[in-house]
Amino acid sequence: LLGTIGYTCYQIWDDRHPQEQFQPDPSKKTLVVLGTGWGSVGLLKNLDTENYNVIVISPRNYFLFTPLLPSCTTGLIEHRSIMEPVRTILRHKKAAVKYYEAEASSVDPDRKVIKIVDNRDGTPKGAETEIPYDMLVIGVGAENATFGIPGVRENSCFLKEIGDAQLIRKKIMDCVERASFKGQTQEEIDRLMHMVVVGGGPTGVEFAGELRDFFEEDIKKLIPEISHRFKVTLIEALPNVLPSFSKQLIEYTENTMREENIDIKLKTMVKRVTEETVQAEVSRPDGSKEVLTIPYGLLVWATGNAVRPVVRDLLGKIPAQKNSRRGLAVNEYLVVQGTSDIWAVGDCAVAGYAPTAQVASQEGTFLARLFNNMAKTEAHEGRITELSGTLNLQQGNAAEVAQEIESLEKQLRRIKDVKPFKYSHQGSLAYIGSDKAVADVPWFNGNFASGGSLTFLFWRSAYLSMCFSTRNRVLVIVDWLKSKAFGRDVSR
Ligand code: NAD
C-alpha cells in the first residue's frame, strides 16, 4: 500500500514538474512527425527522443482511441474518455519534443520543408509558416471516401473524428425529439426515426449495433410512444457485410443483426443523396436493377478511406509515385519510394496491408526501433573512427583499444541487422449489437472464429487493454458502469 501511495505521489509530482524547454541541438538531425494518430503515436511512444530534434505537427492535439468511437455516438462512452492529450504523451519523453497545433498543407521534398497552416477557429486566414526537416514521417491518416456521389458531403455524418461522433449524438436526439413533437405526421415520424447507415465494413456494422442498443435500452424506456417506429437500415454494395471476416462470422453477424430488426440491404449501391432521401440501386439475382428511394432522418456514411490533399499533393511531386492512387507507396522499411528521407505510416501509406489501427501502430513501433538503431549506428561508427585514429598513437593500452573497437564492431553488426517491417496480425474484432461481438483470431497456427456474448466480454477486455493510458481505461470502465446503472445521457 505504501509503495502504491509513494508511486502515485511521485507520478503526480512528476506530472506537475515544469517541463524541460525544447532547445534544438544543431548537432542532431531534425525529425518531423506529421499526425497524432495510431502510426505517429506508436512511433513517438517508442522513440528515443534524445537522438533527434523531434517536432510533431497535427491539427488534433490528442490521440483518439478510434475502436471505441462508435460507442460515443450514443453516449455509452463520453468522448473525453478515449482522448489522450499529445502534451501528456510528449511530457513523458526523455528529451523535450516540440508540438505545433497546425495542419501540414504541403511538403516540398526538394527543399526539405513542410508548409503548415494554423487553421484554428479565430486564427486569421493565411497564418502559414515553413518547418525544415532532415527526416520526415508522414502519419496523417486518410479522409472519408465519398466517391464523388452527389449529396453525400452535404447531407451525411461521417464517423472518423470526435466531432463526427458528437454531431451524430446530437442529430439522433434531434430526430427523436422532432418525431415526438405535437402534430407530427405519421410519414414524417417514420422518416425521422429511420437511421440509415451506408457501408457494411466494421465501422458501419458497429455503429448500427450501437444505435440499436441505444433505442432498445434507453429510448424505449424514455419515449415509449415513438420507439416502435425506430428503424435501422444498413446498406452495403457487396453481397455481404464485414468482407474481411470469415464466412461463418459474416453469416452470424447478418443473422444476429436481422434478429435485432436491423434491415440489411446487400448488393445495394447508393448513387445519390438528398436532404431527406437516399437513392440506391439494388442488383436483383436475375441481373436486373431496381432503384430505391429511401427516406431517412439520420444518414451515416462509412464507406472507407480516401487520400488526404497533402498526400495527393506530395504524390504529384515524386515521379516514382505517379502510379500510386491509394496513398504513398513505401518499401519494406516504410521509406516512401522515390525518396530517402521520408517515411510513411498508417492509412496514408500503401504497404500491402489493410488500413487498420493495428497495422498503423505496428508500423509506428517499427519506425521507432529503426530510428533508434540508426542513431546508435551513427554513434558507434563515430566512436570506432575516433578510437581507430588514436590506435596508432597509443603505446601502452593499444590492445585494450583494439578490443573495444572489436566489441563495438560486433555490436554494430547486431544493431544494423534490422529486419524489414512485417505485420503480425493479432485478429479482428467487431461489436454487432445486443452485447454480442465477433472475433477472428489467429491462434495456434489456425484461425479461431467466434461470435456471441462471451466474445463480447473478450471484445471489451481486449479494447480495454489496448486503451492508451490507465486514465483512459478507468474512464471507459466508469462510463460502462454508469450507462448500465443510470442509462445513457440523452441530453443534447
Ligand atoms: P470499409 O472499407 O471496411 O467498408 C466500406 C464498405 O462500404 C465496403 O464494404 C463497400 O463495399 C461499401 N460501400 C462503398 N461504397 C458504397 C456505396 N455507394 N453504397 C453502399 N455501400 C458502399 O470501411 P470502414 O468500415 O470505414 O473501415 C475502414 C478500415 O478500417 C478497414 O480496413 C477496416 O477493416 C478498419 N476498421 C476496423 C475495425 C475493426 O476491426 N473493428 C473498425 C473500424 C475500421
Side-chain angles (χ1 to χ4, degrees), residues 262-450:
I262 295 174
D263 182 11
I264 305 180
K265 290 194 189 306
L266 301 173
K267 293 192 190 166
T268 306
M269 167 92 81
V270 173
K271 297 275 183 173
R272 186 180 193 86
V273 172
T274 68
E275 219 175 300
E276 296 186 353
T277 63
V278 161
Q279 283 162 28
E281 191 179 81
V282 192
S283 306
R284 299 279 173 224
D286 62 3
S288 66
K289 306 244 190 235
E290 187 193 341
V291 177
L292 297 178
T293 299
I294 308 166
Y296 70 83
L298 171 79
L299 173 66
V300 173
W301 193 265
T303 62
N305 294 339
V307 175
R308 281 200 195 279
V310 61
V311 172
R312 205 174 315 121
D313 175 70
L314 183 59
L315 289 175
K317 290 177 180 162
I318 304 169
Q321 298 280 340
K322 76 170 189 294
N323 294 324
S324 292
R325 294 280 171 275
R326 287 180 303 117
L328 293 158
V330 294
N331 72 10
E332 69 275 32
Y333 288 91
L334 307 180
V335 178
V336 172
Q337 284 171 16
T339 73
S340 57
D341 42 24
I342 305 180
W343 290 258
V345 288
D347 291 2
C348 64
V350 179
Y353 306 106
T356 66
Q358 240 182 98
V359 171
S361 169
Q362 288 183 24
E363 286 177 344
T365 309
F366 168 84
L367 267 199
R369 215 173 47 238
L370 185 75
F371 291 168
N372 293 345
N373 270 18
M374 279 162 64
K376 271 191 212 153
T377 305
E378 247 173 62
H380 273 62
E381 281 173 349
R383 179 81 184 128
I384 290 169
T385 315
E386 192 185 309
L387 285 174
S388 307
T390 61
L391 196 56
N392 298 336
L393 312 171
Q394 308 252 353
Q395 295 301 316
N397 61 350
E400 233 173 73
V401 174
Q403 206 176 356
E404 195 183 337
I405 291 177
E406 197 184 320
S407 138
L408 280 170
E409 277 171 345
K410 214 189 268 175
Q411 286 175 25
L412 193 59
R413 275 196 294 279
R414 218 185 41 241
I415 294 168
K416 275 185 163 173
D417 184 29
V418 180
K419 303 268 183 301
F421 173 72
K422 198 162 177 290
Y423 169 59
S424 148
H425 184 58
Q426 303 298 308
S428 306
L429 289 165
Y431 180 62
I432 59 171
S434 57
D435 289 356
K436 287 181 186 145
V438 286
D440 237 339
V441 189
W443 264 345
F444 306 115
N445 295 332
N447 239 34
F448 178 72
S450 89

Side-chain angles (χ1 to χ4, degrees), residues 101-121:
E101 189 184 274
E103 197 169 317
S105 56
S106 68
V107 175
D108 185 337
D110 298 326
R111 287 172 53 231
K112 294 175 81 163
V113 292
I114 306 144
K115 193 182 274 178
I116 65 168
V117 188
D118 181 353
N119 58 2
R120 276 171 302 169
D121 290 346

